[in-house]
Amino acid sequence: MMLKLLVAVFAAALANSASALPGFQYHQGDLASDIATEKSIALQGALDNIGPNGAKALGVSAGVVVASPSTVDPNYFYTWSRDSALTFKMLVDEFLTGNTGLKSHIEDYINAQAILQTVSNPSGSLSSGRGLGEPKFYVNETRFNGAWGRPQRDGPALRATTLIAYTKWLLKNGGMSEAMNVVWPVIKNDLNYVAQFWNQTGFDLWEEVSGSSFFTTAIQHRALVEGATIAKQLGLSCANCESQSPSVLCFLQSFWNGEYIVANINTGVSRTGIDANTILGSIATFDPDACCTESTFQPCSHRALANLKVYVDSFREIYAINAGISNSSAVATGRYAEDVYFNGNPWYLCTLAVAEQLYDATQQWLGHHNLFISDIDLPFWESIYPAAKIGQYNSGTPSFDNLIAAAMNFADGFVNIVGKHIPSSGALSEQFSRENGTALSAHDLTWSYVSYVTMAAARHAAIALNAAAQEPNQVPSWGERYADIVPSVCVATSAQGSYAAATAAGAPPDAGGCTVTVLFDVDASTYYGENIYMTGNTTDLGNWSLADAVPGNAAKYTSSRPLWYFEIDLPASTTISYKYLRQESDGSWLWETSNRTYSIPACGTQAETGNVVVESSWVGPSGMAPR
Ligand code: NOJ
Ligand code: NOJ
């Protein structure tokens, strides 16, 4: 009952504000009330997937976000750094606008992340920093050893941004010592990671392509910029943030090809690069105080709008459910046109992200009281408003109002499409069928719920700004205006970071000990379908268990040198026993004949000499390719 009442009040407020100004009369229908209803379902849906008390997160550690309760086809019952940070960014923003009940969840999250930072994993350890690039863990905060697209370098940047948003609140609310002692040590590790590794390749957010990724680079820039500022507010400094952020912004320009933002570069994969990656990157770096800056691809920038059109159009022809929809209207969108995961379908979070970018852009135009159309985004504008021309439009004129109304209408179209494919329960899965719109893949996907809430908040802010009648509750600025000047020469730099367990936040005090990165090279000829693994007597090596054996990397395997390698962070001054293994294409295993031993050098070796390398050749039975 209570919920119904609240929903009705919220809907009425939105409906009133929508009709308050002449220019803003777009066809809402029941959209405002539908959004209000689904937003509360979505917020609850996200909370249900968070331990320890979430209804669908039984047995999950406190503050840990499960990607989805689905345990088969696909099994998403893990916690991803990216999904978790995006979830808590949304929860912090909701907290900041008055949902005070979320505070204890945020505190649990800080604690969980402090612990996860210390968990050595196949990407590495905390001591070297490399472990922070691990994309996912078990929900009881232990390492996941399976083969995976790793590292993924967006996690630490997103987490830093989320924690900085909360730290700003602490600073304004008497929480200086909590900010300084509890949260900052977690943030500092992540900022150091970004400053050290931003210029190294990694897997994209879809965990498929190794290279440089727009989404990752964009949020890395943001994290370093706000990291420098929050450090100052704490009376400290982040020298690495300051030294690296201009170079990151410089590199970010490489993703623009003159027509759209290319999602992944420096890859061996041939795709158009037209990808939701770029829309998600634009909304994750939206700053309500920014100009329509081209360099940071702000939602209202010419580049980001041109990109939005190219991205949306790439799905018009390929999904059956988009058939017959006019080129000027919204359609269902997915990750990228070439996607084959679950046969490649529209995703709720992608379609909603398009709407969110346009609501963000609207907030910017309304804030600036003007809007410019250039040759770059003219095709976007013409498609939704045929009378559009290159030029400047000022607020208070009918053309300005018409353009904004057209953008808002177009945005609402994406929300309506999603709405058509939400089952009556309001539950959001990951995908909906390209053929008939039924829900597919992981059910109750946390990120889908999150995307609904952030879309609704962005829409609310746009409408409230227009009406000037209620608090717009915009997301906080990250200082984009002071950090959008691109250096004239790009430098491929890096700053060596230092990393420590955030014990005051709950990281185990004995964790995070000094490790050395050891490169194990083994020459082992393999046939196509046969893989080399390594196992041994410690947790890092899988404790002789086949299930936890470390998968080798064949990226440097050539016909002249059959090289497999393993780059593993191992505790300094310890001795390990290990063996290489072959996994045959039928899944069976062949072991090397005898155990090997190796004594890891003392702490500090790596920084002085670079990686320690152990060279060897396979000694044992050779595999036989199936006939
Ligand atoms: C699981 C990943 O999460 C997903 O993004 C990817 O498309 C599939 N694996 C296939 O690589
Ligand atoms: C697959 C998606 O591609 C990836 O971005 C996400 O992190 C995981 N699923 C978990 O939701």
Side-chain angles (χ1 to χ4, degrees), residues 22 37 77 90 113 169 199 214 287 385 407 419 448 458 586 593 617:
T37 307
F77 205 70
M90 176 278 279
Q113 300 310 304
W169 180 86
N199 194 36
F214 176 81
D287 185 330
Y385 190 73
S448 294
D586 66 0
T593 321
S617 297

Side-chain angles (χ1 to χ4, degrees), residues 67-68 76 80 82-83 135 148 152 204-208 335 341 347 430 445-447:
S68 147
Y76 276 19
W80 269 262
R82 167 181 40 262
D83 300 46
W148 206 253
Q152 295 176 21
D204 71 326
L205 79 172
W206 309 134
E207 322 191 279
E208 295 174 334
R335 300 196 296 184
Y341 184 49
W347 283 42
E430 183 182 70
L445 186 82
T446 312
W447 191 358

